[in-house]
Amino acid sequence: MRIAVVGSGTMGHGIAEVAAMAGMEVKLIDISWDILNRAKERMLDSLKRLHERGTIRETPDTVMSRIEMSVSYDVAKDVDFAIEAVPEILDLKRKVFQELDRVVPKESILATNTSSIPISDIGEITSRKEKVIGMHFFNPPPLMKLVEIIPSKYTSEDVTRSTVELAKKMGKTPVRLRVEVPGFVSNRIFLRLLQEACREVESGEATIEEVDSSARNKLKLPMGIFELADYVGLDVVVDLWKVIVERGASDVKCSSYKEKVDRKELGVKTGKGFYTYPAPGKYSKVSLPAESKVPPERIISLAVNEGAWLIENNIVNAEEIDTVMRLGFNFPKGLLEIADELGLDKILNALREINSRGYEAYSPSPLLVKMVSQGQTGKSSGRGFYTYGKT
Ligand code: CAA
């Protein structure tokens, strides 16, 4: 299997590494040798760590020998599959897809790792829109097991099936959306976590550290919400927020993320965001207070409401949402499983309380209201998003 990966930044180099680890022949394309050499170092560093931990048996050099780097698209002339991972600028994607469409064999699939641009818009740039699909990886790709598969309204069923298979061959767990929605599942839910975290702070109810302490210590998430925003990149956060809201999702007033971006404090990549990191590009876990007054159900309330919306609209089911959050964000349990444990009545009360203060985005979803009114309040009642047996 031959794969081209275009763009060797945070996501691109990780995707190339994952494909090579799975035994595929990889062509990694970028615009300059400086960028490609930096990507080579990052792949080697990551492969060394994986080798030392015993996650991979092959030596880093053996894996690297399957990756050919180039500043020319010509290396993609015989690939079976191409994955684009360049910055989220439609004009840039347009150029990349025109090139790929020209060079890559006509029967091959073109995938995009975009986290926010509609797949249909990207497909329309090419002469093979039925062969264009979203393949959304998570940072860092070598560690995160999830790949969201997003067929556009043009993508053929065969192409979707082949992409699901490719993700599995890469050692990933695919979650396929039935219908494309802006932000897919992952970033719609991520946006809601970001919005509530921001509301907590900007309304004066909690500090950044308290929100993150509650996320890490009470919900047992691997990172706090602001810490994760720093890790993803605050420019990426602001972009995905804008795209999802512009395309119809409700907004929550918030200036914290944008102010950071205006100050060029983009998070881990620049060494400073909400927290300070050892060096640009170098993440280390942030220190947080052990105690926090922020109730965990409030932090996830808006995200759970979004989950209910996704189910109501038949985009994915509860299990799929939970797979996305466990394997894409390393949640210890699924979001809806956590909600069931905390109590859907408590989640609904949190939403209603914030909604009553004029925050429209917190208007409870009809599904959640119905569940609670029927006594399906989660694990303690035997039924919530899941059904529980008697213990
Ligand atoms: N390659 C190989 N190994 C890596 C690595 C990489 N890129 N990054 C970290 N590791 C290894 C470390 O070397 C360390 O190994 P040992 O245990 O052997 O020492 C191990 O992973 C744990 O790393 P750390 O000690 O640095 O820190 P940690 O325990 O906090 O784990 C983390 C780091 C895995 C990233 C974890 O914090 C986590 O899961 N965070 C959530 C990440 C997340 O949510 N990602 C999704 C973001 S959203 C997105 O990507 C999509 C979008 O469109 C925005």
Side-chain angles (χ1 to χ4, degrees), residues 163-188:
T163 311
V164 164
E165 283 315 306
L166 177 78
K168 288 184 186 161
K169 279 193 198 123
M170 291 172 108
K172 300 295 175 197
T173 303
V175 168
R176 173 194 172 161
L177 275 68
R178 282 184 270 285
V179 184
E180 180 181 1
V181 280
F184 319 140
V185 173
S186 56
N187 283 332
R188 289 187 83 89

Side-chain angles (χ1 to χ4, degrees), residues 46 49 53 115 136 139 143 187 223 228 285 328-330:
S46 166
R49 290 200 253 169
R53 242 189 303 157
S115 43
H136 186 216
N139 188 18
L143 300 189
N187 283 332
M223 291 178 172
L228 179 58
K285 227 179 179 68
F329 294 85
N330 270 348

